[in-house]
Amino acid sequence: MHLPPTDSRPRVLHVTQPADGGVARVVSDLTRAQLAAGLRVAVACPDGGLAAGLRSLGADVRHWPATRSPGPALVSEVRRLARVIEDVRPDLVHAHSAKAGLAARLAVRGRIPTVFQPHAWSFEAVGGAAAALALGWERWGARWAARTVCVSEAERLRGVRSRVRGRWTVIPNGIDLDRFGADAVEGVGYVSDVGGGVGGVEAVDGVRLPPGAGGPGPLVVCVGRLCRQKGQDVLLTSWKSVLARVPDARLVLVGEGPDHARLADRASAYGFLGDGPSPTRPGGHHPAPEPGHATNPAQPRDHAANPARPHTYATNPGRPHGHATNPAQPRDHATNPARPGERAPASVLFAGAVADARPWYRAADLVVLPSRWEGMALAPLEAMACGRAVVATDVDGAREGLPPALVPHCLVPPMDPKALADAVTGLLLDAPLRASLGRRGRAHVLSTHDVRHTAAAITAVYDDLLGDGRTTGTHTVPGDRPALVGRSAVVPIEYRESTHP
């Protein structure tokens, strides 16, 4: 039998798997804000960097060994989580992402108020029978969620259209603006040799790059887990066209993941790693595989078929959007042609996982996230907070994360290498436009995506669900603006419907 703790302050148990990437940052930011607000916060997650960071914040971290995807260990994982819940005795359970949402709802089965936050739907990540099974579970498991919190209206609508029923609240993602102060926008993003040539090490605003990654040209940065969801394969395919028009551009993929080897093989085959002929000169070769075609059985449905989303995308008319050609644009390597088969310098760098991506955002001239699906990605918000222009794909949450004026320049259809290359090239060749978009994006994030507003809106949901005098100590209720002086606030938008068919 579940007995509530005697302390009048409510105890919240966050359950999360994955324990890295954007979901981990959301859990960390919420935990920090909730501890500051006086809640008692416990977190069940696998051991690793997230667990260590949460302990340093003062959270009660409980080891929950769970794999990222459902598998044969699911039954034992649910049992372990049930023991954690019995030991912690939370007033409310908040499950993050599909795997934790599956295990937590099976362990609790509605006996404790449970908030489920999908952070993008599981049935988008797979195809065929696996997608049908994931969708079937989400429809069934919704009855054990007292509230489903979506990070974008598009994410909620995808659930509703897929006949996942329940009580919904939309609370957009926020970021910790204290980490993105005025110093976050300093630096122009070009590489300079700070080591006097020792070891050939170069740096961009403090980021040390291996030999061959530097140069006078613009730097494009993609921050995200190296996996199919994030679409780095599409970006590598588009990079051939980018180099044809901006030959000294450089691309850095920041992150780790299961697709690292496959992406490195693709980059090598294209000649982007400096280990083969130039893809833009005689003797270069062009591998056949192109991402995003219907031959992939796990490919998510075409977002262009969504009639509720007006499609105005970035274009590249050569001298984009009426601006003059940037007089400082990268030099044309074609003026110094190479002999056929000559080895080209590396134009793509795999930077690996980093604890803090802010230096890479500051180093970038342009930040790109070519995702196949999302709920609302954090990387574009963080990049804009650093004053950087972004190019993103029109997946769930992308439009809602951008100010409307940026959509025509910064949004492209998913899985479309040509559109992606056109948008990236257009912005690389137009420094004044990039700077303008960066300033407008930063102002937008500062006013609408403060994590303190997000945390206050989540707390309002908790207050509503507890509703028995065990409040969190805030003075907000669902529908109110959890306001902070001098800033606009996130408004939790609640939708109520039956949890049963």
Side-chain angles (χ1 to χ4, degrees), residues 290-374:
E290 298 289 340
H293 290 279
T295 53
N296 180 0
Q299 175 178 324
R301 59 183 168 275
D302 184 1
H303 288 249
N306 181 358
R309 185 183 286 155
H311 290 135
T312 303
Y313 294 124
T315 58
N316 176 28
R319 297 189 176 186
H321 317 296
H323 289 263
T325 301
N326 176 12
Q329 77 179 57
R331 62 180 179 272
D332 185 357
H333 283 226
T335 61
N336 185 21
R339 291 187 299 273
E342 178 185 341
R343 178 168 295 184
S347 67
V348 174
L349 168 68
F350 288 80
V354 296
D356 184 358
R358 286 175 298 171
W360 282 112
Y361 293 132
R362 291 197 300 267
D365 294 287
L366 182 66
V367 175
V368 179
L369 189 65
S371 300
R372 285 179 165 87
W373 69 89
E374 294 283 355

Side-chain angles (χ1 to χ4, degrees), residues 70-337:
L74 178 62
V75 173
S76 63
E77 290 168 351
V78 171
R79 287 173 179 164
R80 290 191 189 99
L81 184 57
R83 289 195 290 269
V84 169
I85 292 169
E86 187 63 27
D87 188 46
V88 173
R89 294 190 299 160
D91 297 289
L92 181 144
V93 173
H94 188 157
H96 298 266
S97 206
K99 177 59 181 290
L102 170 63
R105 285 179 286 177
L106 286 173
V108 176
R109 302 196 182 202
R111 293 186 294 270
I112 306 168
T114 301
V115 173
F116 172 51
Q117 191 165 351
H119 299 283
W121 291 105
S122 58
F123 48 82
E124 286 198 278
V126 291
L133 184 63
L135 179 56
W137 156 250
E138 293 295 355
R139 290 170 177 168
W140 178 263
R143 68 194 62 216
W144 291 325
R147 192 70 56 85
T148 299
V149 172
C150 293
V151 295
S152 64
E153 174 64 8
E155 183 183 44
R156 184 192 76 87
L157 286 175
R158 190 168 299 281
V160 169
R161 290 167 181 159
S162 299
R163 295 189 287 123
V164 177
R165 302 173 68 86
R167 292 179 62 189
W168 307 85
T169 300
V170 176
I171 302 176
N173 274 336
I175 61 174
D176 183 358
L177 296 181
D178 290 338
R179 299 178 61 242
F180 294 92
D183 60 332
V185 300
E186 293 177 357
V188 297
Y190 288 112
V191 173
S192 61
D193 190 305
V194 297
V198 178
V201 176
E202 296 169 311
V204 184
D205 290 350
V207 178
R208 296 172 69 81
L209 304 179
L219 181 67
V220 177
V221 171
C222 176
V223 177
R225 188 167 182 258
L226 302 184
C227 62
R228 184 174 179 275
Q229 176 192 2
K230 298 301 182 180
Q232 291 96 344
D233 57 329
V234 182
L235 179 54
L236 287 175
T237 299
S238 73
W239 196 243
K240 295 181 296 183
S241 297
V242 174
L243 289 181
R245 290 172 276 181
V246 190
D248 51 359
R250 293 152 298 135
L251 169 65
V252 177
L253 302 181
V254 180
E256 265 301 342
D259 286 359
H260 186 141
R262 185 174 65 86
L263 292 168
D265 287 345
R266 180 185 289 261
S268 178
Y270 285 145
F272 296 157
L273 302 184
D275 54 0
S278 167
T280 61
R281 299 178 186 176
H285 51 279
H286 305 269
E290 298 289 340
H293 290 279
T295 53
N296 180 0
Q299 175 178 324
R301 59 183 168 275
D302 184 1
H303 288 249
N306 181 358
R309 185 183 286 155
H311 290 135
T312 303
Y313 294 124
T315 58
N316 176 28
R319 297 189 176 186
H321 317 296
H323 289 263
T325 301
N326 176 12
Q329 77 179 57
R331 62 180 179 272
D332 185 357
H333 283 226
T335 61
N336 185 21

Side-chain angles (χ1 to χ4, degrees), residues 373-391:
W373 69 89
E374 294 283 355
M376 175 180 281
L378 290 179
L381 301 180
E382 293 174 342
M384 286 190 291
C386 290
R388 295 310 184 253
V390 301
V391 171

